[in-house]
Amino acid sequence: MKLRWGLALVGVLGALLVAPASASASPVVTRCEFTPTPDNPAARPVVRPLPFALTRGTVDVTFRFNYGPVTVRLNRAGAAPCAVHNMVSLIAQRFYDRSQCWRLSNSSRLGVLQCGDIYEVEKGGPGYKFPDEVSGAETYPRGTVAMGNQGPGTNGSEFFIVHSFANIPANYSVLGTVVRGMSAIDRMVADGIIPTDPNGPLDGAPAHPVKIQRATLGR
């Protein structure tokens, strides 16, 4: 764990050293606030991310589902750099490995795959939370990857991938977009849904279990 923290610190300091000296240049890093949730302890042992995040560039991550790999391009320069920083930290610590995606929806309002909870829908996070990062202009078209939550400021490990569209308020921090593997998500949807959610028959558990076998940085 100490090694990961050290590497992250070296990376951020390196970015600072190569940053332009101009006073008008945008900041290379931003402060983040990760608050422990003792009433909702970590489902798996992880350390909180460092309290600052890079605000430039992108990083690719790959979720290796039992349906095939899905690569996501996370945008550090977008509205949610702390959320990106958090996902990279959780992937580096293998939090998502051997986990299950408990919710799939395919209604006229919401078409998403929801993952990141270890125990069941909205249960089993990393033991901390962090604020929303939204501009109010967020939209959620096909391929969008965004944070899921249980209310304002409750972000942790939960995220969703939009397979059709999501007609929802701009309350969910956008991490990035799928750049490869949407066909795997489409196959999950085609296999159907077991209605377990009060929102309707097209919202519930995937008919065939969807599992993240491993999540890695890069393609």
Side-chain angles (χ1 to χ4, degrees):
M1 296 300 183
K2 289 181 179 178
L3 176 60
R4 291 195 187 105
W5 278 59
L7 290 174
L9 183 58
V10 168
V12 171
L13 290 175
L16 286 170
L17 289 173
V18 300
S22 170
S24 63
S26 59
V28 178
V29 297
T30 188
R31 292 284 303 179
C32 302
E33 183 179 354
F34 300 101
T35 306
T37 55
D39 57 333
N40 186 17
R44 291 178 172 174
V46 290
V47 297
R48 281 177 287 156
L50 293 172
F52 40 76
L54 294 170
T55 60
R56 296 183 186 177
T58 61
V59 57
D60 287 355
V61 300
T62 298
F63 294 95
R64 304 184 188 281
F65 292 96
N66 53 323
Y67 277 82
V70 175
T71 299
V72 176
R73 182 153 295 153
L74 304 177
N75 184 14
R76 291 187 172 115
C82 293
V84 171
H85 176 52
N86 173 69
M87 177 168 278
V88 169
S89 173
L90 290 175
I91 289 174
Q93 296 181 75
R94 298 189 173 182
F95 182 86
Y96 294 116
D97 290 8
R98 300 177 305 281
S99 65
Q100 190 161 334
C101 300
W102 304 101
R103 184 186 181 193
L104 181 64
S105 63
N106 192 26
S107 70
S108 58
R109 183 185 75 89
L110 188 66
V112 304
L113 173 71
Q114 182 175 308
C115 306
D117 301 307
I118 301 303
Y119 301 137
E120 57 182 273
V121 175
E122 299 185 350
K123 291 186 179 179
Y128 58 83
K129 62 183 180 179
F130 60 96
D132 303 322
E133 296 169 282
V134 293
S135 68
E138 283 77 9
T139 58
Y140 306 93
R142 174 176 165 86
T144 299
V145 181
M147 294 299 301
N149 59 50
Q150 292 84 58
T154 60
N155 302 284
S157 57
E158 183 184 303
F159 67 95
F160 61 85
I161 301 173
V162 181
H163 62 75
S164 56
F165 47 79
N167 295 321
I168 54 178
N171 296 336
Y172 304 91
S173 304
V174 174
L175 296 157
T177 188
V178 174
V179 294
R180 185 177 66 176
M182 280 301 297
S183 59
I185 308 292
D186 292 338
R187 290 195 298 274
M188 300 172 195
V189 178
D191 278 348
I193 297 169
I194 301 171
T196 58
D197 193 282
N199 290 323
L202 295 177
D203 198 327
H208 182 76
V210 174
K211 299 180 180 180
I212 299 174
Q213 297 169 330
R214 189 177 180 189
T216 57
L217 302 177
R219 293 190 170 216

